[in-house]
Amino acid sequence: MPGMSQHHTPAESRSAPVATPAPPEALPPDNSRWTGEKASAFLRALAQHGKVARAARGVGMSRQAAYRLRARAPKFAEFWDWALEEAAKARSARRSAAREVHPLLRRAG
Protein backbone atom coordinates (compact mmCIF):
# COMPACT_ATOMS: atom_id res chain seq x y z
CA MET A 1 0.00 0.00 0.00
CA PRO A 2 1.26 3.47 -0.73
CA GLY A 3 2.42 5.41 2.29
CA MET A 4 3.03 2.27 4.44
CA SER A 5 6.46 0.85 4.58
CA GLN A 6 7.04 -2.81 5.07
CA HIS A 7 10.29 -3.92 6.58
CA HIS A 8 9.97 -7.57 5.56
CA THR A 9 11.96 -9.15 2.82
CA PRO A 10 10.05 -11.48 0.49
CA ALA A 11 11.74 -14.55 2.02
CA GLU A 12 10.75 -13.53 5.57
CA SER A 13 7.11 -13.08 4.70
CA ARG A 14 6.88 -16.56 3.16
CA SER A 15 8.68 -18.56 5.85
CA ALA A 16 6.75 -20.12 8.71
CA PRO A 17 7.91 -19.68 12.28
CA VAL A 18 10.09 -22.50 13.54
CA ALA A 19 8.64 -24.37 16.51
CA THR A 20 11.02 -25.53 19.18
CA PRO A 21 10.21 -28.97 20.60
CA ALA A 22 9.16 -29.21 24.22
CA PRO A 23 11.63 -30.79 26.60
CA PRO A 24 10.77 -34.44 27.42
CA GLU A 25 9.80 -33.67 31.03
CA ALA A 26 7.18 -31.18 29.81
CA LEU A 27 5.34 -33.79 27.73
CA PRO A 28 2.35 -35.52 29.33
CA PRO A 29 2.90 -39.15 30.34
CA ASP A 30 1.98 -41.77 27.75
CA ASN A 31 -0.92 -43.66 29.31
CA SER A 32 -1.53 -45.69 26.17
CA ARG A 33 1.22 -48.24 26.85
CA TRP A 34 1.89 -50.84 29.48
CA THR A 35 5.11 -50.42 31.43
CA GLY A 36 6.65 -52.83 33.89
CA GLU A 37 5.56 -50.54 36.71
CA LYS A 38 1.96 -50.45 35.46
CA ALA A 39 1.84 -54.22 34.99
CA SER A 40 3.17 -54.77 38.51
CA ALA A 41 0.67 -52.32 40.04
CA PHE A 42 -2.15 -53.95 38.04
CA LEU A 43 -1.21 -57.40 39.35
CA ARG A 44 -1.02 -56.16 42.95
CA ALA A 45 -4.48 -54.61 42.66
CA LEU A 46 -5.83 -57.74 41.00
CA ALA A 47 -4.46 -59.84 43.86
CA GLN A 48 -6.22 -57.57 46.36
CA HIS A 49 -9.73 -57.54 44.94
CA GLY A 50 -9.81 -59.81 41.88
CA LYS A 51 -11.53 -57.26 39.61
CA VAL A 52 -9.81 -56.87 36.21
CA ALA A 53 -11.58 -53.67 35.16
CA ARG A 54 -10.97 -52.00 38.51
CA ALA A 55 -7.29 -52.98 38.54
CA ALA A 56 -6.82 -51.76 34.96
CA ARG A 57 -8.53 -48.43 35.67
CA GLY A 58 -6.30 -48.04 38.71
CA VAL A 59 -3.24 -47.90 36.47
CA GLY A 60 -4.86 -45.81 33.74
CA MET A 61 -5.51 -48.65 31.33
CA SER A 62 -8.65 -50.35 30.03
CA ARG A 63 -9.87 -53.85 30.78
CA GLN A 64 -9.47 -54.68 27.08
CA ALA A 65 -5.85 -53.51 27.11
CA ALA A 66 -5.18 -55.77 30.10
CA TYR A 67 -6.63 -58.78 28.30
CA ARG A 68 -4.57 -57.96 25.18
CA LEU A 69 -1.41 -57.85 27.28
CA ARG A 70 -2.37 -61.14 28.89
CA ALA A 71 -2.78 -62.73 25.45
CA ARG A 72 0.65 -61.67 24.23
CA ALA A 73 2.74 -62.04 27.42
CA PRO A 74 2.73 -65.59 28.85
CA LYS A 75 4.61 -64.66 32.05
CA PHE A 76 2.14 -61.83 32.72
CA ALA A 77 -0.68 -64.36 32.21
CA GLU A 78 0.91 -66.66 34.83
CA PHE A 79 1.11 -63.82 37.35
CA TRP A 80 -2.47 -62.84 36.47
CA ASP A 81 -3.66 -66.37 37.36
CA TRP A 82 -1.67 -66.26 40.59
CA ALA A 83 -3.18 -62.85 41.46
CA LEU A 84 -6.72 -64.16 40.92
CA GLU A 85 -5.96 -67.15 43.16
CA GLU A 86 -4.67 -64.81 45.87
CA ALA A 87 -7.80 -62.67 45.59
CA ALA A 88 -10.00 -65.78 45.87
CA LYS A 89 -8.09 -66.93 48.99
CA ALA A 90 -8.47 -63.50 50.58
CA ARG A 91 -12.20 -63.45 49.76
CA SER A 92 -12.63 -66.89 51.28
CA ALA A 93 -10.76 -65.87 54.43
CA ARG A 94 -12.94 -62.76 54.78
CA ARG A 95 -16.09 -64.86 54.41
CA SER A 96 -14.89 -67.33 57.02
CA ALA A 97 -14.05 -64.54 59.42
CA ALA A 98 -17.47 -62.98 58.89
CA ARG A 99 -19.18 -66.29 59.76
CA GLU A 100 -17.28 -66.78 63.00
CA VAL A 101 -19.31 -65.94 66.05
CA HIS A 102 -17.66 -64.28 68.98
CA PRO A 103 -17.41 -66.72 71.93
CA LEU A 104 -19.65 -64.52 74.11
CA LEU A 105 -22.37 -64.57 71.44
CA ARG A 106 -22.45 -68.32 70.84
CA ARG A 107 -25.58 -70.24 71.75
CA ALA A 108 -25.44 -72.36 74.82
CA GLY A 109 -25.48 -75.92 74.00
Side-chain angles (χ1 to χ4, degrees):
M1 289 189 147
M4 297 183 116
S5 71
Q6 298 223 353
H7 298 285
H8 298 291
T9 64
E12 289 175 340
S13 62
R14 286 192 310 255
S15 66
V18 177
T20 53
E25 62 274 3
L27 297 174
D30 181 9
N31 288 333
S32 65
R33 303 232 184 257
W34 283 97
T35 62
E37 187 177 311
K38 278 186 184 182
S40 180
F42 168 85
L43 292 168
R44 282 192 304 272
L46 189 60
Q48 286 180 344
H49 50 69
K51 307 289 184 191
V52 175
R54 182 175 165 191
R57 276 193 314 271
V59 296
M61 300 300 284
S62 69
R63 178 182 58 82
Q64 294 86 353
Y67 278 104
R68 284 192 300 269
L69 179 60
R70 177 184 168 85
R72 73 175 182 265
K75 198 67 168 170
F76 180 75
E78 286 179 41
F79 283 118
W80 178 309
D81 293 339
W82 171 85
L84 288 178
E85 289 172 13
E86 290 299 307
K89 287 178 193 175
R91 242 184 341 267
S92 178
R94 284 192 303 270
R95 284 186 194 130
S96 293
R99 279 184 270 164
E100 290 180 16
V101 177
H102 190 276
L104 295 175
L105 303 175
R106 286 192 184 137
R107 293 182 185 183

